[in-house]
Amino acid sequence: LARLQGFESTKASIRYPFDYARVINLGRRDLIAGRNPEDNTVNAYFDFATEIRNSHTLLTAIEGGKDPLLRIKGEHARHYAFAEAGEIMPYRVFVPSKYDGKAALPLVVVLHGGGADQDTYFKLRGPTLTNEAEKHGFIIVTPLGYRPTGGWGRSATPGAAPSAPPDPARAKTAELSEKDAFNVIELVSKEYGVDRSRTYLMGNSMGGGGTWHLGAKYPERWAAIAPCAATTVGEGFPIEKLKNMPLLYTVGEK
């Protein structure tokens, strides 16, 4: 890889399984796991053998001068080198079949809930998201947010009193979580030439809390927001910043 010029995004995908193993061995991350909706069991679903074979396929392609990931359609995993974190970070993208590189399509940013990851909405939630995106011509991106419980920029410790001092480690994780999300948004926006005036933000549970947080912190970036199953915004939340924001808030109870 060091001898090849360019192909930086695909190089990150080639390196990812090896870097992921490195980070796990350092005790900085756990093996990606997911809950099977059929029997409610939790299984590790990162298949190193398959991922390394995929790395070899990608390497062979770029050695031949072709970038197999650049502006491809459909659902696929992507990666990038996150310098501040010192890691290669994953994200997932869905691009509808109508994408032609000419018309600027809207982008939906989906923030996962606590303990989930960038693959959850695709691997464990069924095809609803991609079916709707294909039908309406939306690009979807799902970041990891640095860690499965990163918080998307919200640094408050769950359950702690509002007056409690912030935990420095959690604050740093939250900072990196927010930066990872925006790094991914920028990468996808540039590569696919999205319509930046139609960038939408949604999330569930922790991702819903992140949607409230990032929606109010950067209201100029979103065409609309949709927090789902999130805690209420609470006292002191700058709700006035969302005064002119189209907003869909979804809650429910058993």
Side-chain angles (χ1 to χ4, degrees):
L1 287 177
R3 294 194 299 268
L4 296 171
Q5 298 298 314
F7 307 107
E8 294 308 315
S9 176
T10 300
K11 284 181 178 179
S13 290
I14 292 169
R15 291 188 172 112
Y16 180 66
F18 306 98
D19 190 68
Y20 182 40
R22 175 186 69 87
V23 173
I24 290 173
N25 290 337
L26 290 172
R28 289 163 55 179
R29 279 193 66 186
D30 295 324
L31 184 64
I32 292 175
R35 188 173 297 278
N36 187 328
E38 294 183 1
D39 58 13
N40 211 35
T41 57
V42 176
N43 304 297
Y45 60 67
F46 192 89
D47 184 339
F48 279 98
T50 298
E51 294 295 333
I52 290 170
R53 285 194 295 270
N54 182 59
S55 292
H56 185 267
T57 299
L58 293 175
L59 175 60
T60 301
I62 64 173
E63 284 178 328
K66 178 182 178 181
D67 190 337
L69 296 181
L70 183 65
R71 292 189 287 276
I72 62 172
K73 301 177 187 180
E75 177 198 331
H76 55 282
R78 299 295 294 270
H79 307 83
Y80 78 100
F82 188 3
E84 290 179 78
E87 296 178 23
I88 293 175
M89 303 305 301
Y91 60 100
R92 204 163 192 89
V93 181
F94 173 80
V95 180
S97 59
K98 71 177 293 182
Y99 172 74
D100 60 6
K102 300 175 182 178
L105 300 183
L107 176 67
V108 179
V109 182
V110 183
L111 308 182
H112 65 74
D117 60 45
Q118 76 285 348
D119 291 329
T120 299
Y121 276 94
F122 295 103
K123 287 182 177 288
L124 300 176
R125 296 288 186 263
T128 301
L129 190 63
T130 51
N131 285 349
E132 290 299 307
E134 174 67 23
K135 182 167 64 175
H136 297 288
F138 281 65
I139 296 173
I140 298 170
V141 63
T142 56
L144 172 61
Y146 179 61
R147 291 292 184 263
T149 55
W152 307 111
R154 302 177 79 198
S155 59
T157 302
S163 58
D167 174 76
R170 182 169 179 81
K172 183 61 176 179
T173 296
E175 177 188 346
L176 292 173
S177 182
E178 179 177 315
K179 287 181 177 180
D180 179 37
F182 281 110
N183 287 346
V184 166
I185 292 168
E186 188 61 22
L187 287 167
V188 174
S189 296
K190 283 184 176 179
E191 180 172 341
Y192 288 96
V194 306
D195 182 348
R196 292 177 184 265
S197 70
R198 292 190 292 163
T199 299
Y200 301 86
L201 181 66
M202 65 170 284
N204 181 69
S205 191
M206 182 188 79
T211 300
W212 280 120
H213 171 72
L214 298 178
K217 189 174 182 180
Y218 307 100
E220 71 284 355
R221 297 191 68 122
W222 319 113
I225 66 171
C228 310
T231 55
T232 55
V233 293
E235 185 177 353
F237 181 81
I239 193 69
E240 69 280 355
K241 292 187 177 181
L242 297 175
K243 181 178 180 180
N244 298 312
M245 177 72 68
L247 191 153
L248 175 66
Y249 184 29
T250 305
V251 294
E253 61 179 279
K254 294 182 179 179

